[in-house]
Every structure is written in structure tokens, then in C-alpha cells.
């Protein structure tokens, strides 16, 4: 069982380009999340999805979009990348979504550099 | 404004001794707390959690204590091992929203 996979592992991107970060889970979890990790700021929630077909905004959603067409996949798109989006991006999933004591499990991350 | 604070960016401990990592929060609506461990170039790994109805939860060498009146939780690792060297994040959930709020992390170094 792979758990959560993310692709690519790392990417260098020119500003203004479009980029999609991929996330796939094989645990049949209802909920999925995208976080970014920046030095001195911890992990901050970008977008989430409590179940296939629904999405919601997190703490820092501007400049990002997501879709949840099925249970397993939750891609994150940067429509026009800017240098401030340079970060490490983590995808996570949890079994229930929107429920108390529902632990989130994380993927290995994508390191994105926008020049 | 940081709702979850880890005021110690780093901590160094000798192997075999106790490691104590601290976390403070400001929102009294938080009712579920988690600790994650993160190695370089890997994703955070869930370590242990505690709900607001408890003041202690133990799992092997790891114990989390919650003091609701002080809005403070701590993670104790006894005995510490070199493999415990990692960044530790505490996180809080504000009531079945699953929108975790993370602290900034504490880098633990366990010296052999």
C-alpha cells in the first residue's frame, strides 16, 4: 500500500507559468488537503475537500485552485505562478473529513521553486 | 496572528534523557491536538494525539500532556534516541472542522 503519492518530487518553474501538482491516495479516504510549508510559518492549509465533488478554502487559498473529481485524486493548480509560491507543498488525507478526531496523513511533498 | 505557538525553534538532548517539547494555543475552541514528526525531505508523520476530554495520552516512549486552563500541551519522549532527531509540529483542530492549525515546529537533536 503506497498511501499518498505526490508528483513531481521537485520542480523549478518560471514565473507566469501554469503548474499542476498531483496527489493520489489509495486508502479510500474521504477527505484530502493541500498545505504549504514555509520556514518560520509551519504548515498552512491551502484548500481541502471533505468528499469527492466538494472543495473548500483554507487559510491561504489565493493563487491556487483544486478539483476533486474522484476519491483518489486531488490536484492543486497554480494558474500563473509567482515567486511567493516558492514552497514545499504537502498533500494529506483523512478517513472521514469534517469529523472530530480524524487524523490526517501526509504525502512526501513537492518542492516548488518559482523564478 | 499565530493561534498555535511553538516558542522553541530547537532543542538538544542527550541520548537516554527526556525530551520535552512545548506548544501553546490561544483559541479555547480547539478540542483536538496532534503531534507530527518530520524528517528532512519527507512528509510529516502522525505521532500521537489527545482530545480535550483528557489531560494525558501515552504511546510507548511518547506522552502528550494537555493543560486546558493554561492552553498548553507538551510532548515527552523518554528515553530519547538519536532516531528521534527531527522537526516536531503540534497542531490543533477547532471542533470537527478538520482544518488543522500548525505550530512553526521545534527541531529536536538527540546527541549520542
Amino acid at each position: 500500500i503506497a498511501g499518498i503519492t505526490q508528483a513531481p518530487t521537485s520542480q523549478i518553474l518560471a514565473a507566469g507559468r501554469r503548474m499542476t501538482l498531483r496527489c493520489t491516495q489509495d486508502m479510500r479516504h474521504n477527505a484530502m488537503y493541500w498545505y504549504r510549508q514555509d520556514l518560520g510559518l509551519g504548515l498552512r492549509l491551502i484548500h481541502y475537500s471533505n468528499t469527492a465533488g466538494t472543495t473548500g478554502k483554507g487559510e491561504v487559498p489565493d493563487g491556487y485552485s483544486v478539483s476533486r473529481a474522484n476519491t483518489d485524486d486531488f490536484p492543486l493548480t497554480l494558474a500563473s505562478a509567482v515567486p511567493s509560491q516558492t514552497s514545499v507543498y504537502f498533500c494529506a488525507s483523512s478517513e472521514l473529513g469534517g469529523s472530530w478526531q480524524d487524523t490526517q496523513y501526509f504525502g512526501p511533498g513537492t518542492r516548488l521553486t518559482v523564478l | 496572528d499565530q493561534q498555535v505557538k511553538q516558542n522553541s525553534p530547537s532543542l538538544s538532548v542527550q541520548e537516554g534523557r527526556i525530551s520535552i517539547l512545548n506548544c501553546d494555543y490561544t483559541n479555547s475552541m480547539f478540542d483536538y491536538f496532534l503531534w507530527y514528526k518530520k524528517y528532512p525531505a519527507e512528509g510529516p508523520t502522525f505521532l500521537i494525539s489527545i482530545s480535550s476530554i483528557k489531560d494525558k495520552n501515552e504511546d510507548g516512549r511518547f506522552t502528550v500532556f494537555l493543560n486546558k486552563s493554561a492552553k498548553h500541551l507538551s510532548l515527552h519522549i523518554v528515553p530519547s534516541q538519536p532516531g528521534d532527531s527531527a522537526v516536531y509540529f503540534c497542531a490543533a483542530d477547532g471542533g470537527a472542522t478538520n482544518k488543522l492549525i500548525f505550530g512553526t515546529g521545534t527541531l529536536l537533536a538527540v546527541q549520542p
Side-chain angles (χ1 to χ4, degrees):
Chain A
I1 296 179
I4 298 179
T5 58
Q6 292 185 236
T9 302
S10 65
Q11 181 76 45
I12 298 173
L13 190 66
R17 298 297 293 267
R18 180 184 179 91
M19 176 73 191
T20 295
L21 308 185
R22 300 186 297 279
C23 175
T24 300
Q25 53 107 357
D26 63 3
M27 299 176 284
R28 307 303 294 173
H29 283 176
N30 279 329
M32 297 185 75
Y33 313 83
W34 275 105
Y35 292 86
R36 58 178 289 173
Q37 184 196 2
D38 302 290
L39 195 62
L41 294 175
L43 286 88
R44 294 179 292 167
L45 182 65
I46 304 170
H47 285 288
Y48 67 96
S49 167
N50 278 338
T51 188
T54 69
T55 62
K57 293 182 179 180
E59 184 183 354
V60 288
D62 294 343
Y64 305 95
S65 64
V66 291
S67 61
R68 187 88 184 278
N70 57 62
T71 298
D72 300 341
D73 301 298
F74 191 43
L76 176 74
T77 297
L78 290 68
S80 179
V82 296
S84 62
Q85 292 177 310
T86 294
S87 187
V88 182
Y89 292 85
F90 291 102
C91 179
S93 71
S94 66
E95 184 175 0
L96 301 174
S99 298
W100 196 49
Q101 298 191 34
D102 190 26
T103 300
Q104 296 182 22
Y105 298 91
F106 285 79
T110 293
R111 181 174 295 275
L112 181 67
T113 302
V114 182
L115 301 176
Chain B
D1 189 29
Q2 283 284 123
Q3 296 189 69
V4 178
K5 300 177 184 178
Q6 294 177 256
N7 292 319
S8 297
S10 63
L11 175 68
S12 183
V13 171
Q14 286 294 121
E15 181 178 6
R17 299 290 191 102
I18 184 171
S19 295
I20 300 177
L21 297 100
N22 294 304
C23 181
D24 297 293
Y25 61 96
T26 59
N27 190 337
S28 58
M29 296 299 293
F30 290 150
D31 58 7
Y32 183 54
F33 304 89
L34 307 91
W35 284 94
Y36 285 84
K37 174 179 173 180
K38 185 183 179 306
Y39 292 119
E42 294 185 11
T45 302
F46 170 69
L47 194 57
I48 193 169
S49 62
I50 189 167
S51 69
S52 58
I53 61 173
K54 294 184 173 181
D55 54 17
K56 175 182 174 181
N57 189 27
E58 191 171 353
D59 184 2
R61 297 186 296 115
F62 302 91
T63 303
V64 57
F65 296 91
L66 176 62
N67 182 333
K68 290 186 293 292
S69 61
K71 296 189 180 69
H72 176 84
L73 63 155
S74 60
L75 175 68
H76 292 211
I77 306 174
V78 183
S80 301
Q81 300 173 355
D84 296 329
S85 298
V87 176
Y88 289 79
F89 291 98
C90 69
D93 181 5
T97 66
N98 247 358
K99 293 181 183 178
L100 293 182
I101 306 296
F102 281 83
T104 53
T106 296
L107 174 63
L108 173 66
V110 180
Q111 308 296 333

